[in-house]
Amino acid sequence: MTSLDLGVVGNGTYGSLIDKWARIVWCCLPRFDGDPVFYSLLNGNGAEEGDGARGYWGIELEGATSTRQYYRHNTAILVTEVTDRDGNTIEITDFAPRFTRRERMFQPMTMVRRVRPVEGTPRIRVRIRPGFSYGAEEPTVTRGSNHLRYVHSGLALRLTTNAPVTYLLAETAFNLTSPMSFILGPDETLIGGIEETARQFEERTEDYWRKWVRRLALPLEWQQAVIRAAITLKLCCYEETGAIVAALTTSIPEAANTQRNWDYRFCWLRDAFFVVRALNSLAEVETMENYLRYLGNIVGTARDGHLQPVYGIGLETHLTESLVDTLKGYRGMGPVRRGNQAYEHFQHDVYGNVILAAAQSFFDERLLQQPVKADFERYEKVGERAYAMHKQPDAGMWELRTRAHVHTSSSLMCWAACDRLARIAVHLGLQERSRHWRRLADEVHETICKLAWNEEMGAFAESFEGSGLDAGLLLMTEVNFLKPSDPRFQSTLAAVEKALLRGSHMFRYATEDDFGMPRNAFNICTFWYIDALARVGRTDEARDIFESILACRNSLGLLSEDTDPATGELWGNFPQTYSLVGIINAAMRLSRKWEEQI
């Protein structure tokens, strides 16, 4: 059965998902939000050997009975070992080239697959079955002496290989007696030899990733978990613009047969604060600065300070949502969606998240481009919008599609926008602007304390004058709205625990929404809970829960958006940026200090 026990390879230009049998089951080209050339992940139960399924690329060992998969140490190079019933074994190495060449980053829209016999005389069959237009159309295939071309309208792909092209075309099984390489990318002639080029790409890519990891600031504990999360977060960054997508997939349901299937191949501003915190804690300044540049471009084009909740990775503002009727969906659980209606929503928390993230740039002396007063004035327009919206109903951070309230978490972030602008103004020596923003922040703070507090519950409610609870309330100490010792936060934390905690997993909310009652836990909420526990001094509990969620990662150390609290199964889009930064931020907060151990 199809599952999210998948590996990710990529290079900041595109990304591929590969299952435990080394089948590429998802890959969008020419960029993260493009047409899925390999799409079997969303077409029923995936590609099964010998059937007529399309949209995958398998290098299959005849009679395969077992597989072992791992990342090469501290890299984004994925290795899969497959063994048949007689002990014959092959090793498949997958990666996307990424290294410095001619004083710039070489990261082509190219995937490299290398296969070699490890034991015995294995027989393999190569099935490369790309498709276009979300599986609606097949490519035109032509052949050369050492390559195949897959052509459809605006995209032409060339597979260059030293494997017998005749066997590839007919999907004929053959004995693997020596290493073979496959290089799939733009329709361009390969300059060097096939095996030599693949080997050189692999060696230089491995060297790049190991040196990249060596520069990271790491906690003493959970280093491998943090390294894998950091590498995967890097793979979710579209480096041409600096955007970081919420996930590489669309339409993996939040829970089975719920219709909660969304396209996450875009950049949500809500992620900004947590992403910048994670990158800063890792000392990954280059990626952080590129991401801040992307946010700055959005703010620079915002009319009257208005921000959408989500933008395309190329700053696209219209992400029109439509249903794809040519794919069956993950495990046959449609619908498959392209685009996301959330771009039309009013979600007022985005203002605070953007300014919380941008504040880093005003205080960080490492950045190549230091912001100036004009940049601050652009963010002030966002702040004015935040203040104007702090008592207005919106769809909230959970993007409710058919109802609106004045959500406490949205107002909380509006307060954070005003508060951080006041702090930035002090730093810039703009005393009058600092007093202005402090006055507005204090007003919003008083409003939240008055209208969101529910005396009967003895806790803050999820909306003004409401009686419900949601996990967004846990962020009150995260953004310094209340001190962890504040009795109001302590009682709110207790109320949220009682209402939303299921074992070690925190739900977003426990009331019916547009699609019924939520069934699975949203992983980032569990990380917010871990942070809240640590802040109030319940560190041992926080560490135990952190260990439990790490145990829910797939075999390669990756997380999706949601977890079934009963079974630990992963659901939702994959890999999830929010979950990755959750791992990083929690480990940084909970780990023992280096000086305590060494």
Side-chain angles (χ1 to χ4, degrees):
M1 177 182 289
T2 300
S3 77
L4 294 181
D5 195 11
L6 304 169
V8 181
V9 299
N11 60 5
T13 298
Y14 79 95
S16 295
L17 302 186
I18 302 173
D19 72 10
K20 67 178 183 178
W21 297 102
R23 289 183 294 228
I24 297 179
V25 296
W26 183 257
C27 179
C28 297
L29 296 175
R31 61 186 210 180
F32 298 146
D33 58 352
D35 188 358
V37 174
F38 299 114
Y39 51 79
S40 64
L41 181 66
L42 292 188
N43 205 25
N45 271 328
E48 299 298 335
E49 183 176 344
D51 69 6
R54 299 204 59 83
Y56 73 102
W57 181 1
I59 300 176
E60 302 167 0
L61 175 65
E62 284 198 332
T65 56
S66 64
T67 178
R68 183 172 81 96
Q69 194 171 55
Y70 59 92
Y71 280 106
R72 199 164 292 161
H73 185 65
N74 290 357
T75 75
I77 299 174
L78 185 66
V79 179
T80 310
E81 296 176 357
V82 186
T83 302
D84 69 15
R85 63 178 71 92
D86 298 318
N88 298 302
T89 302
I90 61 173
E91 177 190 87
I92 302 164
T93 302
D94 287 299
F95 66 96
R98 180 181 174 86
F99 49 85
T100 301
R101 188 168 78 172
R102 297 174 183 170
E103 299 185 353
R104 65 186 183 201
M105 188 58 64
F106 178 68
Q107 49 188 142
M109 189 190 72
T110 298
M111 59 189 77
V112 180
R113 315 199 75 186
R114 306 190 72 194
V115 57
R116 69 180 184 92
V118 175
E119 196 72 39
T121 307
R123 285 180 61 79
I124 68 169
R125 187 190 312 271
V126 179
R127 303 183 195 271
I128 177 167
R129 298 176 174 181
F132 293 89
S133 301
Y134 288 78
E137 301 178 42
E138 298 181 16
T140 299
V141 182
T142 60
R143 66 163 292 172
S145 56
N146 292 103
H147 71 266
L148 294 172
R149 296 174 71 246
Y150 302 89
V151 182
H152 178 266
S153 59
L155 185 63
L157 299 174
R158 179 186 291 240
L159 175 69
T160 305
T161 182
N162 54 351
V165 174
T166 296
Y167 293 164
L168 302 189
L169 279 171
E171 297 184 350
T172 301
F174 61 94
N175 292 338
L176 181 68
T177 56
S178 61
M180 292 182 177
S181 295
F182 304 82
I183 303 173
L184 180 68
D187 187 18
E188 300 169 357
T189 301
L190 198 65
I191 296 175
I194 298 167
E195 198 66 24
E196 175 192 1
T197 299
R199 177 185 54 79
Q200 183 187 73
F201 280 5
E202 180 180 347
E203 291 174 352
R204 297 191 66 179
T205 298
E206 181 172 353
D207 182 65
Y208 165 82
W209 282 112
R210 288 190 171 178
K211 288 180 177 177
W212 183 83
V213 168
R214 189 175 64 180
R215 297 195 303 266
L216 297 178
L218 294 176
L220 174 64
E221 298 179 88
W222 304 295
Q223 288 189 32
Q224 280 304 311
V226 171
I227 288 170
R228 185 52 49 202
I231 290 174
T232 311
L233 178 60
K234 182 76 169 174
L235 297 182
C236 291
C237 177
Y238 185 65
E239 289 198 339
E240 183 180 341
T241 65
I244 297 178
V245 294
L248 294 178
T249 58
T250 176
S251 304
I252 308 295
E254 294 178 13
N257 298 306
T258 58
Q259 304 285 306
R260 299 175 187 267
N261 303 14
W262 316 113
D263 193 344
Y264 275 17
R265 298 171 297 164
F266 310 112
C267 187
W268 266 260
L269 301 190
R270 177 174 305 111
D271 301 359
F273 171 47
F274 301 97
V275 168
V276 168
R277 170 179 287 183
L279 292 172
N280 186 45
S281 67
L282 291 166
E284 177 37 21
V285 180
E286 182 180 15
T287 302
M288 181 180 72
E289 187 166 19
N290 287 341
Y291 183 54
L292 289 170
R293 173 169 51 86
Y294 172 82
L295 296 177
N297 278 323
I298 289 175
V299 170
T301 58
R303 182 175 299 177
D304 299 324
H306 170 70
L307 297 178
Q308 297 176 187
V310 57
Y311 290 81
I313 60 178
L315 300 178
E316 294 86 0
T317 56
H318 286 73
L319 308 174
T320 305
E321 183 175 307
S322 61
L323 299 183
V324 176
D325 59 8
T326 51
L327 298 177
K328 301 173 184 176
Y330 179 76
R331 298 189 190 175
M333 300 174 189
V336 172
R337 289 186 169 91
R338 177 183 184 182
N340 199 301
Q341 183 197 346
Y343 82 92
E344 299 177 328
H345 292 182
F346 291 96
Q347 296 175 25
H348 302 151
D349 62 303
V350 300
Y351 302 108
N353 277 292
V354 167
I355 292 177
L356 281 166
Q360 178 79 28
S361 62
F362 288 92
F363 293 90
D364 196 332
E365 295 289 343
R366 297 169 298 178
L367 304 186
L368 293 177
Q369 295 183 334
Q370 295 292 316
V372 296
K373 183 180 178 182
D375 297 302
F376 174 70
E377 291 171 348
R378 280 192 286 271
Y379 282 104
E380 282 195 295
K381 293 180 180 178
V382 175
E384 295 289 357
R385 182 75 176 178
Y387 171 73
M389 295 292 105
H390 80 274
K391 291 193 293 186
Q392 300 300 315
D394 71 345
M397 67 163 60
W398 310 124
E399 300 183 349
L400 301 175
R401 294 192 166 204
T402 60
R403 67 188 78 173
H405 300 288
V406 182
H407 291 94
T408 303
S409 56
S410 295
S411 294
L412 173 68
M413 289 301 174
C414 290
W415 169 83
C418 299
D419 175 78
R420 296 321 191 262
L421 285 170
R423 300 186 191 196
I424 295 169
V426 169
H427 181 70
L428 296 177
L430 304 173
Q431 299 304 324
E432 187 278 328
R433 298 311 296 164
S434 175
R435 287 190 292 271
H436 169 76
W437 288 112
R438 180 53 57 204
R439 177 178 58 81
L440 296 186
D442 289 346
E443 180 185 336
V444 177
H445 195 287
E446 182 180 353
T447 299
I448 294 172
C449 291
K450 178 181 178 180
L451 297 180
W453 179 259
N454 184 309
E455 190 66 40
E456 184 177 340
M457 290 167 49
F460 284 98
E462 54 84 29
S463 60
F464 283 12
E465 300 181 336
S467 58
L469 294 162
D470 77 354
L473 298 168
L474 298 172
L475 298 176
M476 285 186 159
T477 58
E478 182 101 25
V479 300
N480 299 320
F481 181 84
L482 293 177
K483 294 181 178 180
S485 59
D486 192 305
R488 293 171 296 179
F489 181 73
Q490 298 266 351
S491 60
T492 299
L493 173 59
V496 169
E497 286 178 309
K498 183 177 180 180
L500 304 182
L501 194 61
R502 306 289 186 273
S504 297
H505 300 277
M506 181 65 67
F507 274 55
R508 290 175 286 187
Y509 44 80
T511 55
E512 287 196 4
D513 59 17
D514 307 333
F515 296 88
M517 189 72 74
R519 289 175 12 207
N520 286 339
F522 200 57
N523 289 328
I524 191 59
C525 297
T526 305
F527 287 114
W528 292 347
Y529 178 55
I530 290 169
D531 184 84
L533 290 177
R535 287 176 183 269
V536 301
R538 296 162 59 183
T539 306
D540 289 343
E541 291 177 69
R543 290 174 62 91
D544 288 345
I545 292 175
F546 183 47
E547 291 283 3
S548 73
I549 196 168
L550 288 180
C552 292
R553 295 173 300 159
N554 73 10
S555 63
L556 293 166
L558 305 180
L559 276 176
S560 62
E561 179 187 43
D562 306 271
T563 302
D564 185 329
T567 65
E569 184 176 7
L570 298 180
W571 289 87
N573 283 305
F574 177 90
Q576 180 78 4
T577 295
Y578 243 162
S579 299
L580 298 172
V581 300
I583 291 172
I584 295 166
N585 290 331
M588 292 293 187
R589 178 169 294 281
L590 296 174
S591 174
R592 297 192 308 274
K593 305 301 181 185
W594 284 87
E595 58 268 24
E596 296 174 4
Q597 183 71 21
I598 296 176

PDB file of all heavy atoms in Angstrom, residues 144 153 480:
ATOM      1  N   GLY A 144      17.799   8.169 -29.349  1.00  0.00           N
ATOM      2  CA  GLY A 144      19.089   8.354 -29.990  1.00  0.00           C
ATOM      3  C   GLY A 144      19.965   7.192 -29.624  1.00  0.00           C
ATOM      4  O   GLY A 144      19.508   6.190 -29.047  1.00  0.00           O
ATOM      5  N   SER A 153       4.534  19.599 -25.460  1.00  0.00           N
ATOM      6  CA  SER A 153       4.334  21.053 -25.573  1.00  0.00           C
ATOM      7  C   SER A 153       5.576  21.818 -25.110  1.00  0.00           C
ATOM      8  O   SER A 153       6.604  21.784 -25.764  1.00  0.00           O
ATOM      9  CB  SER A 153       3.082  21.488 -24.818  1.00  0.00           C
ATOM     10  OG  SER A 153       3.148  21.145 -23.458  1.00  0.00           O
ATOM     11  N   ASN A 480       5.887  36.512  23.245  1.00  0.00           N
ATOM     12  CA  ASN A 480       6.084  37.404  24.402  1.00  0.00           C
ATOM     13  C   ASN A 480       4.885  38.295  24.704  1.00  0.00           C
ATOM     14  O   ASN A 480       5.032  39.386  25.251  1.00  0.00           O
ATOM     15  CB  ASN A 480       7.338  38.266  24.210  1.00  0.00           C
ATOM     16  CG  ASN A 480       8.588  37.431  24.087  1.00  0.00           C
ATOM     17  OD1 ASN A 480       8.751  36.442  24.797  1.00  0.00           O
ATOM     18  ND2 ASN A 480       9.471  37.820  23.177  1.00  0.00           N
TER      19      ASN A 480
END
